[in-house]
Each structure stands twice: as structure tokens, then as C-alpha cells.
Amino acid sequence: MINVYMPRKVEIISIIPQTDIDYTFRLKSDILPQHGQFLQVSIPKIGEAPISISDYTDEYIELTIRKVGTVTDAIHELKPGDFLFIRGPYGHGFPVEDFKNKNVVIAAGGTGLAPVKSIINRYNRNPKEIKKLSILVGFKSPKDILFEDEIKKWKEKFDVLLTVDNGDETWKGNTGLITKFIPDLKIENPDDTIVIVVGPPMMMKFTCLEFLKRGIPEENIWVSFERKMSCGIGKCGHCKINETYVCLEGPVFNYTKSKQLLD
């Protein structure tokens, strides 16, 4: 019998600081997950935490981890050459095969950019897979911006709008919530447009409502409840909303389902 709780040992190849509390850990691994899946990451005698996969190749996976608790604090103390333990990947990802030849809009708030970064990089490598990609990404402040170098590269190929809730004296870019900019977003054919929304619960709620106002069909909107993850295998019940185990049926949901999941 396979022990589903048994993790595997992986080496940290490199660590890339993103902000003061967000680091991207590149781990040696041949896992090829679905976009939007997550891993359980652990340190023996410390504990484990669910972490979204922010990117991957056939040689490594990347996890962008915020320092917010006992496990993640310990992970941030590690260095290249050290080891982590992982199990997974878990959950259902975004059905990107169904997005081919569509217009795609990705709206991400804060660390919600991490679970969709691999999708953006997929289209960056294969731009002809879809008709058009538009990216809306928002952060609390300039110091909270993730993946700055990659955002600059995305701007070379795609329509990218970067905004912060609160700027400072050095910030020359957009200011305001993502929802502020959706009414002016160029959407040529709503029925042929796929929308992906990931971020804090309230951000996702009102962002989805704004896209519905723009005529995007409910079935064309996809969201991720990646913040609800816990054990990953539907045993602990911490992710359960009504009768739905988010880690088993999600974390990615079509809006027609997610609008019923009131946590």
C-alpha cells in the first residue's frame, strides 16, 4: 500500500528574493504539474505547508513562498544545497487545453500572481497558442511587487497593466484596485474570451463581478481557491466548504461552481 503522506526529498537549487518576505525557491525535480496545482512542503520536526507551484520545467519546480508562519519561517532560513520535502502535486489545475485559440485575460492580486505565472510563461514561449493575452496584476504597494523582471519581459509581448493600491513618492505607475481598470479593458468578443482570476477572496469576488458586467459568460471565468489548501488529500476537512473538498475538486474552479462556495 502506498503511503500518501510520505514526502520525497528534493534539493534547493537556488533562492531568488522577490520582496522582504517573499522568496522563490527553485527545487530539483522532474514533476510536471498542471498549471494551478500545489504541493505540500515540509521540514522534518517543523511541519508542512501547502504552496502553489509558480513555475516548472522537466528539471525543476519553483515555489514562491511568503514568510508568514512557523514552517515558512524555517524554509526561509535554508540555502541552496539544503533539502526540502514535498508531496503532490495535488488538486485540479486550469484547463489550458480548452483555452487554445481564445482571448485570455489574467487578473491576479498579490501572491495570487504565483499560481498563474507558469501559464503566462507558457504563453510567452508559445504566443500562437492563443489569440491574445491581457494581464492585470495588482499589489498593495511598490515594495510588494513580485516577479518584476518577468513582468518587464511580459510587457514586450502582451498587454500588461500593473497597479498598486497605495503608491509612494517614487511610484510613477498606476494606482488603484484592479477593478478600477476592468471597465476600460479592451475586450473585443466576450464570448471568445477566457478570464482567470486569482487573489484574495474579496478581490476575486468583485473582479469576477466586473467581468460579468463586461459581458463575459460565467462559464468563461476561472478562479483558484489556492488559499484554502490544507492536507491536499481530503482527509483533514480544513478546506471543506459545504459538501465540497476544495483540495480534491479544486483549487481551480469554474465560476459557475465557485459562486456557490461561500466560505
Side-chain angles (χ1 to χ4, degrees):
M1 181 180 293
I2 298 174
N3 185 347
V4 294
Y5 285 107
M6 184 65 69
R8 73 198 79 169
K9 185 177 181 181
V10 292
E11 181 181 357
I12 300 173
I13 301 172
S14 62
I15 303 173
I16 305 165
Q18 302 288 344
T19 71
D20 291 343
I21 58 172
D22 299 284
Y23 285 16
T24 295
F25 291 76
R26 181 172 290 182
L27 310 176
K28 187 176 181 180
S29 172
D30 58 0
I31 292 174
L32 294 175
Q34 300 172 24
H35 302 287
Q37 286 188 305
F38 68 99
L39 295 172
Q40 284 288 349
V41 183
S42 62
I43 298 178
K45 301 182 181 181
I46 301 294
E48 69 175 4
I51 305 293
S52 298
I53 299 168
S54 55
D55 214 344
Y56 63 90
T57 69
D58 57 2
E59 295 181 348
Y60 64 80
I61 55 174
E62 289 185 352
L63 308 176
T64 300
I65 302 175
R66 171 162 288 187
K67 187 177 181 182
V68 291
T70 302
V71 178
T72 53
D73 286 356
I75 292 174
H76 274 241
E77 295 297 320
L78 300 177
K79 60 185 183 299
D82 289 337
F83 293 88
L84 282 170
F85 290 81
I86 62 173
R87 56 184 179 88
Y90 294 120
H92 292 278
F94 294 95
V96 291
E97 293 301 317
D98 296 338
F99 302 165
K100 289 184 176 180
N101 301 314
K102 301 284 188 179
N103 299 304
V104 177
V105 179
I106 295 178
T111 55
L113 181 57
V116 295
K117 186 168 81 76
S118 65
I119 302 179
I120 298 173
N121 283 335
R122 174 193 179 109
Y123 295 143
N124 192 42
R125 294 188 300 269
N126 306 285
K128 293 183 179 180
E129 187 171 323
I130 56 174
K131 291 180 180 178
K132 179 184 177 182
L133 176 62
S134 300
I135 303 168
L136 302 175
V137 57
F139 297 94
K140 286 184 178 180
S141 71
K143 67 181 180 64
D144 296 307
I145 295 175
L146 302 175
F147 315 124
E148 286 192 83
D149 291 340
E150 286 182 279
I151 289 174
K152 291 176 182 177
K153 293 179 181 178
W154 298 339
K155 287 182 176 180
E156 296 173 3
K157 285 187 181 180
F158 310 119
D159 293 334
V160 179
L161 189 145
L162 171 63
T163 184
V164 299
D165 297 351
N166 302 291
D168 55 28
E169 64 278 0
T170 65
W171 179 250
K172 305 300 181 184
N174 298 296
T175 302
L177 302 177
I178 283 177
T179 49
K180 170 184 174 182
F181 302 95
I182 296 174
D184 298 324
L185 185 67
K186 188 175 181 181
I187 299 177
E188 297 177 356
N189 185 354
D191 290 334
D192 201 37
T193 299
I194 300 295
V195 174
I196 296 171
V197 182
V198 187
M202 292 304 288
M203 171 268 177
M204 290 199 297
K205 174 183 177 179
F206 288 104
T207 298
C208 289
L209 291 176
E210 287 298 323
F211 279 112
L212 291 172
K213 291 178 185 177
R214 293 297 311 273
I216 303 296
E218 289 187 354
E219 61 270 20
N220 285 15
I221 300 176
W222 295 84
V223 303
S224 174
F225 283 20
E226 48 96 20
R227 291 168 181 256
K228 284 288 294 180
M229 296 301 91
S230 194
C231 75
I233 55 176
K235 299 300 183 184
C236 73
H238 290 154
C239 74
K240 191 176 181 184
I241 303 177
N242 299 326
E243 299 304 314
T244 299
Y245 286 88
V246 175
C247 63
L248 298 181
E249 297 186 38
V252 173
F253 292 98
N254 187 264
Y255 183 76
T256 56
K257 171 72 173 182
S258 70
K259 68 179 183 179
Q260 305 169 30
L261 301 177
L262 302 178
D263 189 16

